[in-house]
Amino acid sequence: TPSSSTSQTPTGIVYNSVGLYDVILHIESPCSTGPDSTFKSSYITVNAPDVNITGNDSICNGDFLNLTASGANTYIWGPAQGLSSTIGATVMIMPTSSMTYSVLGTDAGGCKDSALFSVVVTGLPSVNVQGDTTIGYGGAANLSTNTVGGTSYSWLPLSDLSCSNCANPIATPNV
């Protein structure tokens, strides 16, 4: 509950919690026979901003993406590591490891709210092709990979392969 004031136009009254507040006005005048009072129920509404962050929560190492905050007027981001800027509604991030970003939003009335957003950084796949490198005329080679972090495959050239999108195609070149 804020303090009272004897000013005709009070300033600096702070409401510490979101909610509805009553106002009572007591007026005394030398011309009146006594004080006059007016009561206003739920006269002041105090709202807090509702800050949210949107963006992709997964990124490949070496890539960048944008995170966007909403729900307030101004924003301060942290930690600064991997951020293009620490202020503004939209920031570009390029983290080198998985991390959680925070944003503090302030509305026009000075009320604040914060939000957190975690981003997972996925390492680049490690590709290692194994198999025969020399075959006889009319022969076939079993190609295989020892790939870490890969989720799909694309072998080239497409001709003379048993499959172009599997982990272990058989190559039968027609020379």
Side-chain angles (χ1 to χ4, degrees), residues 143-156:
L143 304 178
S144 64
T145 65
N146 184 14
T147 303
V148 176
T151 57
S152 64
Y153 304 90
S154 180
W155 292 88
L156 295 173

Side-chain angles (χ1 to χ4, degrees), residues 5-81:
S5 173
T6 58
S7 172
Q8 183 175 352
T9 54
T11 60
I13 295 178
V14 176
Y15 295 86
N16 294 321
S17 300
V18 173
L20 299 173
Y21 292 88
D22 301 332
V23 173
I24 301 171
L25 175 61
H26 296 286
I27 300 173
E28 292 187 28
S29 170
C31 299
S32 67
T33 57
D36 189 17
S37 295
T38 300
F39 174 78
K40 296 286 187 176
S41 177
S42 301
Y43 187 71
I44 296 176
T45 302
V46 177
N47 294 319
D50 184 17
V51 174
N52 295 295
I53 302 173
T54 56
N56 194 339
D57 62 358
S58 179
I59 186 173
C60 292
N61 194 9
D63 285 348
F64 65 90
L65 61 87
N66 289 329
L67 296 181
T68 301
S70 61
N73 295 70
T74 61
Y75 305 92
I76 300 174
W77 293 84
Q81 176 188 351

